[in-house]
Amino acid sequence: MRSPGSIRIMRCDTRRGATRRRRRILCGLLLAAATAAPLLCALPAAAVEPPSRAEAILFTADTLSYDQERRVIKANGNVEAVQGDRTLKADEITYDETRDLLIATGNVSLTEPSGEVIFASQAEITGDLKSGVIEDLRLILTDGTRAAAASGRRTGGTETELTRTVYSPCDLCAEEPTRPPLWQIKAAKVRHDQNEKIVEFSDAWMEVGGVPVFYLPYFYQPDPTVKRKTGLLVPTFGNSSDFGLVAEIPVFIALSPQADLTLTPWFTTKEGALLEAQYRRELSRGEMKFDGSLTRDSTQKTRGHLFGEARYDIDERWRSGLDIERTLDRTYLRRYGFSDQQTLTSRLYGEAFGRTDYFVANSYVFQGLKSDDDNDTIPFVAPKLDYYHFGDVDAVGGRTDVHLDLAVLTRTDGTDTRRASARAGWTLPLLGPIGDLYTLSATLWGDAYHVNDLERDGSDNRYTGFSGRLFPQLAGEWRLPFARAGETSQQIIEPIVQGVLAPTFGNPSRIPNEDSEDMEFDTTNLFALNRFAGLDQVEEGPRFSYGLSWSYFGADGERASVFSGQSYRFFEDAAIPTASGLSGNFSDVVTAVDLAPNKYLDLLYRNRIDVGEAAARRHELGAVLGSELLRVGASYVRFDEENDDGTDFEGREELGFSLSSQLNRYWRTRIAGVRDLKGGGAQRDLGIRLTYEDECFLFTFGYKRTDIEDRDIEPSDIFYVRLGFKTLGTVGGGLRQRDGG
């Protein structure tokens, strides 16, 4: 029976590349220790291997000696002591077996299982490397944060207590390493409990640039290993011309490893208090997140909102979900900065995915927030069933697609609609003798309706009953790409022609128009078989469309493309809005230009021109010019007025601009705004932001002006300052930070 003491705590290890002579000395000492092992059997086991240490200590060093009488091991030169998953390194280590104590001197470092590293000039540590006293200590946490202390005490491998401590995540200046970091915290005592995963500071003060700025008798924060922990988050403070002084004080509550709740009370000097809440939860096969708020404002009106979403994967094929968007009044979301949406959509759904098919069952509830929205006339949609099938290639190279739809729309005031639709199509691509491409297609659309109280022809002549249609179409498309390849570039010119045969009926007055009131005509749907947004309206009559595209591709990534096209209709379609650009025989000409000649310029331009009247109906321009040092962005949008077809759209013309610059490694700035050119040239939005950011600190100063008047929403000015301290959080702010400033 061998002793459980000295032999097990040593091993011959030459991994450090020691000289052959040193390896002989080390192995010789181990052999001597092994020879002495039988003499140790007579000693009590506790004196040789204390019960506090379950695993042996493994030493490597340039030289090693063992004093059998005193039971002391001395190791010198590149010493490494390993016990379990902890490693102690030093220039010299003395291990007293009787006291189970390691004394390490010179370039001492202790690596913890969590990844933390403790540096010191001298340390006295127990044999399990879990407890001890350390002098002139420096600590690097797992996220790179540094701390230094005059002395420290380690207990049980889980608790570290430091005295006269300096803590900072900031890097030291390479040119002047003795200069104080950008910010640091000094404390009389710091305690790090790895079991509780917290770092406590007592008698602490913060210094910025070496100058004390504020004092805290006590505070604590989670250690770097913690992602979620109950406690106060950093509050924010700001000022708004609409709400006055604003304070937000968030409280984070970790309900379980899978769920948490954040409560954020707001306090304002003009509108009273508000409570904001966010709940999040991870499910075994999904997740959910809900945001809401509630307040009673200065007029004693109760206001609030609830947004949320939930997803659950039933199996690999089926998924269900819920989306909620509701508010108690129409201006609350925009005034308090939660959302700029004008229509809220809530949805409950289930869907299934297949290799060639897709099915979804939806139910919708809408809430209109515009001043002229009548929610009694906005339908509740349930159920809304859609099935899509995309067939494999058949024997002749064609492919079949099917869309089945069932929808039920119910209103408190107005028409109730029930619709069943079936749309089937077959498409065959062909290659011509000169490289031209043909696409032939045939479609058959069938729709059945039942309506209650349908208003027809804009009169009081209302209809209740059944109606339907059967609408076939044949289409053919021809393309002939001409390609020219150079040494460093490639160009492609491609004319496109499409012809469609369709009957001149399809939109009888007994069929309601629930989902096709808007029609956007541009280059993206020039060759679509139905340019209406939904299923209720179809394009009647034969027509053909034509266009020409040119593309350029360079070897260094430069590109350019131009496309222009038009459509011709043999018979006018009364269902098409006059302002859409598709009414009459000849449509408007639509054009799109995409230009990126180098990495410093990206431009996209689209327009719609009424050739008959030589008038531009629509312009859209977006451009970005420059590099990170100075980047300029511009956007211009103009839509014509639409005062026919029952619409009341006054048109739109606005100019957007942005100027941003990465001034240097740390500083950047941005100016952005939107100017309403149609409304007298008023500046609608303007934002200015200046930001400094380095590895440990974030500073942002900004100003935002919004000129919007809508019921109780008035023009507002917001000034904000944000300060972000790595590992501590963000302070400062201003109302509606979520808008981006």
Side-chain angles (χ1 to χ4, degrees), residues 388-659:
Y388 299 88
H389 171 75
F390 303 93
D392 294 325
V393 177
D394 56 29
V396 297
R399 190 184 294 268
T400 302
D401 64 270
V402 176
H403 176 200
L404 304 179
D405 171 86
L406 175 67
V408 177
L409 287 73
T410 306
R411 289 178 170 86
T412 303
D413 181 11
T415 303
D416 295 335
T417 302
R418 286 153 286 278
R419 180 187 70 200
S421 298
R423 299 196 168 188
W426 180 76
T427 304
L428 175 66
L430 298 171
L431 178 63
I434 58 173
D436 48 341
L437 305 174
Y438 297 87
T439 302
L440 306 178
S441 62
T443 62
L444 180 62
W445 300 344
D447 305 283
Y449 288 84
H450 180 269
V451 295
N452 290 329
D453 200 26
L454 172 65
E455 180 181 328
R456 300 192 295 168
D457 304 323
S459 67
D460 290 334
N461 181 17
R462 297 178 179 272
Y463 172 75
T464 298
F466 291 93
S467 61
R469 68 172 164 228
L470 198 62
F471 193 77
Q473 290 186 105
L474 294 175
E477 183 180 286
W478 172 84
R479 298 170 178 252
L480 180 57
F482 296 93
R484 179 181 179 182
E487 293 184 0
T488 60
S489 64
Q490 184 180 45
Q491 300 182 59
I492 300 175
I493 297 177
E494 185 178 40
I496 309 171
V497 178
Q498 180 199 59
V500 178
L501 292 177
T504 57
F505 59 85
N507 297 305
S509 61
R510 293 183 178 184
I511 290 181
N513 183 4
E514 299 278 13
D515 62 6
S516 302
E517 293 186 358
D518 294 329
M519 173 180 278
E520 294 283 345
F521 175 52
D522 55 29
T523 56
T524 62
N525 61 3
L526 174 63
F527 298 106
L529 293 182
N530 187 20
R531 284 169 281 212
F532 284 100
L535 304 181
D536 288 333
Q537 298 288 288
V538 296
E539 286 194 63
E540 300 175 344
R543 61 193 180 273
F544 67 91
S545 304
Y546 42 87
L548 180 66
S549 71
W550 170 80
S551 301
Y552 172 88
F553 304 94
D556 295 328
E558 60 269 24
R559 72 181 192 279
S561 66
V562 179
F563 178 84
S564 185
Q566 189 180 31
S567 185
Y568 177 80
R569 185 180 307 280
F570 290 93
F571 302 94
E572 291 191 18
D573 188 348
I576 295 178
T578 304
S580 67
L582 274 171
S583 62
N585 296 110
F586 283 96
S587 75
D588 292 349
V589 174
V590 290
T591 302
V593 178
D594 187 359
L595 180 64
N598 51 54
K599 63 181 180 179
Y600 303 110
L601 174 63
D602 196 345
L603 181 146
L604 178 63
Y605 171 68
R606 297 193 301 176
N607 66 24
R608 181 160 60 83
I609 307 288
D610 185 337
V611 180
E613 298 185 12
R617 302 301 183 189
R618 184 170 187 168
H619 290 287
E620 295 178 77
L621 171 67
V624 178
L625 173 66
S627 63
E628 288 188 356
L629 180 61
L630 182 63
R631 177 168 287 133
V632 180
S635 64
Y636 173 76
V637 176
R638 185 175 75 80
F639 300 149
D640 259 6
E641 295 184 7
E642 297 179 12
N643 296 322
D644 55 0
D645 307 306
T647 62
D648 196 18
F649 182 59
E650 297 181 354
R652 175 182 172 192
E653 186 176 12
E654 65 181 31
L655 175 66
F657 66 91
S658 65
L659 176 66

Side-chain angles (χ1 to χ4, degrees), residues 273-293:
L274 177 149
L275 180 62
E276 181 183 359
Q278 181 185 87
Y279 174 77
R280 302 183 303 176
R281 182 177 180 86
E282 288 187 357
L283 306 174
S284 58
R285 294 184 178 180
E287 60 184 3
M288 63 174 62
K289 176 184 175 183
F290 293 92
D291 298 271
S293 65

Side-chain angles (χ1 to χ4, degrees), residues 73-268:
I73 297 174
K74 288 187 177 181
N76 293 277
N78 299 315
V79 185
E80 182 176 299
V82 179
Q83 203 281 332
D85 46 10
R86 289 179 171 83
T87 302
L88 176 67
K89 297 179 181 179
D91 292 339
E92 179 180 328
I93 293 180
T94 300
Y95 175 59
D96 188 331
E97 286 186 86
T98 305
R99 296 188 297 164
D100 191 30
L101 183 65
L102 285 161
I103 301 175
T105 56
N107 298 312
V108 179
S109 68
L110 175 63
T111 303
E112 292 290 310
S114 61
E116 296 178 2
V117 183
I118 300 173
F119 299 92
S121 60
Q122 181 175 332
E124 294 186 4
I125 306 175
T126 56
D128 57 8
L129 306 185
K130 294 182 178 181
S131 303
V133 178
I134 304 174
E135 300 294 331
D136 189 19
L137 177 146
R138 288 162 293 140
L139 175 66
I140 298 180
L141 302 178
T142 54
D143 63 347
T145 300
R146 298 171 175 84
S151 63
R153 178 178 295 277
R154 186 77 164 160
T155 305
T158 59
E159 184 176 318
T160 303
E161 188 173 293
L162 310 177
T163 58
R164 290 185 293 167
T165 305
V166 179
Y167 165 90
S168 177
C170 302
D171 293 337
L172 297 177
C173 178
E175 290 78 13
E176 298 182 52
T178 58
R179 190 171 71 184
L182 182 61
W183 69 269
Q184 60 186 0
I185 294 177
K186 292 184 177 180
K189 184 172 70 173
V190 175
R191 175 178 169 270
H192 180 201
D193 190 325
Q194 289 177 266
N195 286 334
E196 297 293 331
K197 299 185 183 297
I198 61 171
V199 181
E200 298 177 314
F201 296 81
S202 300
D203 291 328
W205 66 95
M206 172 177 279
E207 292 185 356
V208 177
V211 178
V213 292
F214 63 84
Y215 168 79
L216 287 173
Y218 173 83
F219 78 96
Y220 75 92
Q221 68 176 54
D223 73 15
T225 65
V226 175
K227 305 302 179 184
R228 307 162 60 254
K229 188 175 182 65
T230 297
L232 286 172
L233 301 180
V234 179
T236 65
F237 305 92
N239 181 75
S240 165
S241 59
D242 191 12
F243 292 89
L245 296 176
V246 181
E248 302 177 26
I249 307 175
V251 179
F252 179 82
I253 304 171
L255 302 175
S256 71
Q258 296 80 32
D260 57 59
L261 175 66
T262 303
L263 299 176
T264 307
W266 295 21
F267 302 97
T268 71

Side-chain angles (χ1 to χ4, degrees), residues 306-377:
L306 176 63
F307 282 6
E309 62 180 35
R311 303 287 184 268
Y312 187 77
D313 297 325
I314 300 171
D315 54 31
E316 293 184 356
R317 179 176 172 84
W318 284 89
R319 180 175 67 177
S320 61
L322 170 67
D323 296 322
I324 296 177
E325 294 180 351
R326 302 296 290 180
T327 182
L328 293 180
D329 65 82
R330 303 191 182 198
T331 60
Y332 172 75
L333 295 175
R334 283 195 295 163
R335 189 181 179 199
Y336 282 80
F338 290 108
S339 174
D340 289 328
Q341 295 173 247
Q342 292 295 296
T343 300
L344 302 183
T345 303
S346 299
R347 177 173 73 128
L348 176 65
Y349 70 92
E351 57 188 343
F353 303 86
R355 187 182 65 85
T356 60
D357 55 5
Y358 170 73
F359 171 78
V360 59
N362 285 294
S363 60
Y364 294 96
V365 177
F366 303 99
Q367 183 180 12
L369 304 183
K370 297 179 182 178
S371 59
D372 57 351
D373 283 338
D374 183 355
N375 284 302
D376 288 340
T377 65

Side-chain angles (χ1 to χ4, degrees), residues 650-702:
E650 297 181 354
R652 175 182 172 192
E653 186 176 12
E654 65 181 31
L655 175 66
F657 66 91
S658 65
L659 176 66
S660 62
S661 176
Q662 186 74 42
L663 301 174
N664 56 35
R665 178 182 174 186
Y666 304 110
W667 288 95
R668 64 181 183 269
T669 185
R670 175 178 169 84
I671 302 173
V674 176
R675 194 169 190 84
D676 186 356
L677 301 180
K678 193 172 184 64
Q683 188 72 39
R684 200 169 70 212
D685 289 299
L686 178 64
I688 302 173
R689 183 169 67 235
L690 178 66
T691 301
Y692 171 89
E693 184 175 10
D694 60 21
E695 77 284 350
C696 68
F697 180 69
L698 172 68
F699 163 80
T700 299
F701 169 80

